[in-house]
Amino acid sequence: EHYGHWVHSRAAGSTAAGPYTRAIIARNGLLALSAREAVYFSLNEDDQGRPLSESCVYELNGRPLDARWWSITLYADDNFLAQNTDNAHSMDASRAGNDAPWSVRISPVRGDATRWISSREARRGFIVMLRVYNPQRDFRPSEQSLPVLTTISCAGETP
């Protein structure tokens, strides 16, 4: 399923997933919890439909989600955390503030960002994973309820 540029697979964490689906999930490194425990959304393209790139600066803006907790994590093009020493691979709800709109910069350098996820050494084609833990029964994802990614700039090109 698609929600804007976010992609959600009902197979991740589903007991109904067949052996091929489970093999693909295992190959890509996603150790999914059951769908009642967590819902996963991935983003692998920018607001123009281009693959996410380390050479760009992005801003992700969102509102609180109807869940006990949520997190956003960046995975490099090999589906593992980017190989850098920035210690800025993810952001969780406790850092965003539970009741207020939030934003996080995704870029290879922090700059003046208050909240930052490092894309250094992530290369071209990285993904951003949104995990929604213990979603409320009435949690209904939509393009309007999920965070929005905006391309701020790209080195050597115009966004």
Side-chain angles (χ1 to χ4, degrees):
E1 295 178 48
H2 289 267
Y3 302 97
H5 292 279
W6 290 99
V7 178
H8 167 66
S9 171
R10 292 192 183 273
S14 170
T15 57
Y20 295 110
T21 300
R22 289 179 187 212
I24 290 168
I25 290 170
R27 169 71 173 93
N28 288 331
L30 176 63
L31 300 174
L33 297 171
S34 75
R36 287 186 317 158
E37 294 175 301
V39 182
Y40 303 88
F41 300 90
S42 60
L43 185 66
N44 59 8
E45 59 185 33
D46 69 11
D47 47 334
Q48 304 298 313
R50 299 174 298 193
L52 299 176
S53 174
E54 174 189 11
S55 67
C56 297
V57 175
Y58 304 101
E59 186 170 278
L60 191 62
N61 292 289
R63 301 205 47 85
L65 297 167
D66 292 328
R68 182 176 58 85
W69 184 71
W70 55 266
S71 68
I72 296 170
T73 305
L74 183 142
Y75 291 96
D77 59 353
D78 61 2
N79 293 321
F80 291 94
L81 295 175
Q83 295 299 303
N84 62 51
T85 56
D86 296 327
N87 294 320
H89 295 102
S90 67
M91 183 187 88
D92 63 41
S94 65
R95 284 190 236 154
N98 290 330
D99 296 328
W102 55 268
S103 68
V104 60
R105 176 178 290 165
I106 300 172
S107 66
V109 294
R110 182 177 192 136
D112 61 354
T114 304
R115 293 186 195 94
W116 172 58
I117 295 176
S118 175
S119 61
R120 189 168 61 86
E121 300 298 326
R123 298 180 182 68
R124 184 172 182 85
F126 66 83
I127 67 164
V128 174
M129 177 73 67
L130 168 64
R131 291 180 181 86
V132 180
Y133 295 96
N134 297 123
Q136 300 296 320
R137 288 190 186 273
D138 59 349
F139 176 71
R140 300 288 181 262
S142 68
E143 187 173 350
Q144 293 74 31
S145 67
L146 295 178
V148 175
L149 184 85
T150 304
T151 304
I152 304 302
S153 65
C154 293
E157 59 184 87
T158 56

